[in-house]
Amino acid sequence: ALDDEAEAEFQAQKEKKEQEISKPEIQETPVEEKKESPVEEIEEPEIKEPEITEEEKQELVHLERIDSEMAEYKSRAKEEHNKGMFDHAINIYSEALTFLDSQEPLFTHLLSTLISKKCALWNNIAACYKQYQNYDKEIEYSTLVITNSTHLTSDPTLLYKAYYRRACAYEKSEKYQKAKKDILYCRQKNPRDVEVTKRMNHIDKALKEEQQEVKTRSMMPSYKLKAGLEEFKGLGNKEFKEKRLDK
């Protein structure tokens, strides 16, 4: 029995070996390494600065001369302003404006730069009129800055100052609707400005009081209005009779 078992085991091992030999070998195909294609260098187009024409060169020379003159005007005006002589400062700023007006015919390409210098002067004049509480003039010169705002590319803060100054002047003049419109511009440009927020609250309060006053007048009983008219009419008749008696 042991010999039979040994023989069977031998036959099983033999068959296993024959199967392994008859099994076809699977040859692995070598993976070809992908060659990276060379990166093509893209030539960036050369950015050429716009050539300055001879006319523009001449205008730049004029601007340098104007800047020198303006520095002199501003220095004199600042000195008068610091002394509290605001009317003298206004006169000096006005002289500077007259000078800039005389230079306008020399400019075509750089005219906006020249007008922006005028805006700075108008802003300073408005600030001087504020010291005298001349709100009509303050509004007038602030409006000049605002209407010429397209030329303020170099210093946009001038426009912000002009709107804020005009809003304050409108408020002082009790023109609250116009004041609200200007202060809203400032609020949109700089919501974090504390002074703008305070000014808006003052204007809103004044508007509510004004609207309440109008509402109260409209609700006044008609008999009170009639009584007031009769009283006025009686005074007129009395004055007329006295004049006739004098004759």
Side-chain angles (χ1 to χ4, degrees):
L2 290 172
D3 291 339
D4 292 340
E5 289 178 5
E7 182 68 25
E9 186 179 351
F10 173 77
Q11 288 296 331
Q13 289 179 357
K14 185 179 178 182
E15 289 176 3
K16 186 178 180 181
K17 284 183 179 180
E18 287 176 354
Q19 287 176 0
E20 288 179 356
I21 292 169
S22 62
K23 189 177 180 180
E25 289 186 13
I26 299 172
Q27 295 182 349
E28 295 183 3
T29 55
V31 179
E32 293 184 5
E33 294 183 2
K34 290 184 179 180
K35 294 182 180 180
E36 294 183 2
S37 57
V39 178
E40 294 182 4
E41 294 184 1
I42 300 172
E43 294 184 4
E44 295 183 0
E46 186 180 350
I47 300 173
K48 294 182 179 180
E49 293 184 3
E51 294 183 2
I52 300 176
T53 64
E54 285 299 320
E55 287 183 358
E56 289 173 322
K57 287 179 182 178
Q58 288 296 320
E59 289 183 19
L60 285 170
V61 172
H62 289 316
L63 271 179
E64 288 180 6
R65 179 178 55 82
I66 287 169
D67 285 340
S68 178
E69 292 280 346
M70 293 303 295
E72 180 68 23
Y73 281 118
K74 287 179 180 179
S75 177
R76 287 169 50 208
K78 187 177 180 181
E79 186 178 345
E80 296 299 323
H81 187 279
N82 291 341
K83 290 189 293 186
M85 306 295 288
F86 304 113
D87 53 339
H88 292 181
I90 290 170
N91 290 337
I92 295 168
Y93 287 133
S94 298
E95 289 174 19
L97 282 168
T98 303
F99 168 69
L100 289 178
D101 286 339
S102 69
Q103 301 301 303
E104 275 196 27
L106 302 174
F107 289 87
T108 304
H109 305 283
L110 303 177
L111 183 60
S112 287
T113 306
L114 191 72
I115 295 175
S116 68
K117 295 181 185 299
K118 293 173 73 172
C119 287
L121 293 172
W122 290 326
N123 223 18
N124 291 341
I125 291 173
C128 290
Y129 276 119
K130 182 181 180 180
Q131 298 298 326
Y132 290 125
Q133 298 182 1
N134 189 334
Y135 303 121
D136 288 341
K137 283 292 183 182
E138 188 180 1
I139 291 167
E140 177 186 340
Y141 281 93
S142 296
T143 302
L144 282 171
V145 179
I146 292 166
T147 52
N148 287 276
S149 61
T150 53
H151 303 284
L152 294 175
T153 52
S154 59
D155 188 6
T157 58
L158 279 175
L159 184 61
Y160 185 85
K161 290 176 183 176
Y163 267 108
Y164 181 76
R165 182 169 284 118
R166 193 171 73 169
C168 295
Y170 276 139
E171 183 190 3
K172 294 292 184 182
S173 305
E174 298 183 359
K175 298 175 181 178
Y176 302 119
Q177 290 290 353
K178 290 182 177 181
K180 180 68 178 286
K181 185 178 178 181
D182 282 356
I183 207 67
L184 276 174
Y185 170 90
C186 298
R187 183 66 181 272
Q188 289 169 356
K189 292 293 179 182
N190 189 4
R192 296 182 180 179
D193 192 325
V194 178
E195 292 302 318
V196 167
T197 303
K198 287 180 182 178
R199 186 61 54 192
M200 178 172 282
N201 291 338
H202 291 162
I203 293 169
D204 284 338
K205 184 181 178 182
L207 273 171
K208 286 180 182 178
E209 290 175 356
E210 186 179 61
Q211 290 167 359
Q212 185 61 42
E213 188 179 346
V214 171
K215 187 178 179 181
T216 303
R217 286 178 182 175
S218 64
M219 293 173 66
M220 185 181 291
S222 58
Y223 71 86
K224 286 190 177 182
L225 289 173
K226 188 176 180 180
L229 289 171
E230 289 295 330
E231 183 181 355
F232 181 77
K233 184 178 177 182
L235 289 171
N237 290 336
K238 183 180 177 183
E239 186 179 351
F240 178 74
K241 289 177 181 178
E242 286 175 354
K243 284 183 178 180
R244 288 191 66 182
L245 289 171
D246 288 342
K247 291 180 179 181

